[in-house]
Amino acid sequence: MNNPRYDTLTTSNHFDSIAEVFNRIWYFSDDYKDFVINHIHRDLSLSAEDILVDLGGGTGTFTSRIQDESGVTKAYCVEPSVAMCDEAAKLKNITALCMDAHAFISTKTPFSKLLLKEVIHHIDEREHFWQAVYTRLPKKGKLLIITRPQHVAFPLFASAKTAFAHNQPPYELFESQLKACGFKVTTLKRSHSFTLRKENWYEMLRHRFMSDLSIFSDEEIEEGIREIEEVYTEESIDIIDNLIFITATK
Ligand SMILES: C[S@@+](CC[C@H](N)C(=O)[O-])C[C@H]1O[C@@H](n2cnc3c(N)ncnc32)[C@H](O)[C@@H]1O
């Protein structure tokens, strides 16, 4: 689909614009956070010997909690948005590096585990990137991608769902590219359900919590919210987040 609207705002610009409110608006529930973090620990088999890189780590809240709970030797939050990275730099138990995926890998910083949570669709020239990651990882080193299917169950308006599907490559592509590099790949689909007050969900939409929403004007967001209102008549919405966890081991 070639729609010029999808190119109107770059990803890093978008995340610069929501950095200040990111932690508040990108929040589903404490249970949800525990669910994701527990799986990260297990899938990456984190231990005190590891050096963890949280690539596209945003404001570093996940990086910081993982560092505390797993006791890894060192944890980096690598984040190209200056405003997001500035937030991460306030967390004293992690090291924030303001750069994108390709710039980071070319620094040759040693690491043994790599987390890519909700970021893989933003990274270009992925085949080249995987190859570089494979070279840098030690034997038995691991990476974990947490991503979503192209068709999400989120209560989004129709044109937002189309934008999301447009920006999200099929996860099978990541699997095949990783296998082609020599990684052993395991994929698990896991879902988490939670309930949000509609007002909170609409605030997330108005802040364009997902970069896919950045192409919509204020009027279009309000029109989208009216579309959602027709379907969801209660005060709260039950939401299912279908996540895909892809672990690749060298
Ligand atoms: C949806 S946020 C996810 C943040 C964090 N991983 C989390 O789950 O809370 C996506 C992040 O990826 C970053 N990003 C975008 N393009 C990137 C790239 N090429 N390399 C590394 N990070 C990138 C964005 O700036 C943003 O902070």
Side-chain angles (χ1 to χ4, degrees), residues 195-198 232-238:
T195 303
L196 275 189
R197 284 181 56 76
K198 264 197 312 199
Y232 298 90
T233 49
E234 307 291 324
E235 277 306 295
S236 298
I237 312 186
D238 295 329

Side-chain angles (χ1 to χ4, degrees), residues 2-9 159 166 212-217 220:
N2 266 337
N3 184 338
R5 295 196 74 188
Y6 294 126
D7 302 322
T8 52
L9 192 60
S159 47
H166 171 90
D212 313 281
L213 297 169
S214 63
I215 57 167
F216 298 107
S217 67
E220 287 167 325

Side-chain angles (χ1 to χ4, degrees), residues 11-12 15-16 22-23 26 54-62 78-81 84 99-102 115-124 148 209-211:
T11 303
S12 63
F15 286 103
D16 278 344
F22 185 83
N23 292 343
W26 243 122
D54 183 4
L55 198 59
T59 53
T61 50
F62 277 86
V78 177
E79 171 53 50
S81 153
M84 299 281 272
M99 57 183 78
D100 75 4
H102 289 285
L115 173 64
L116 301 119
K117 180 175 171 298
E118 301 179 50
V119 63
I120 191 57
H121 54 290
H122 293 305
I123 299 175
D124 60 5
R148 294 193 171 84
F209 77 109
M210 293 174 126
S211 55

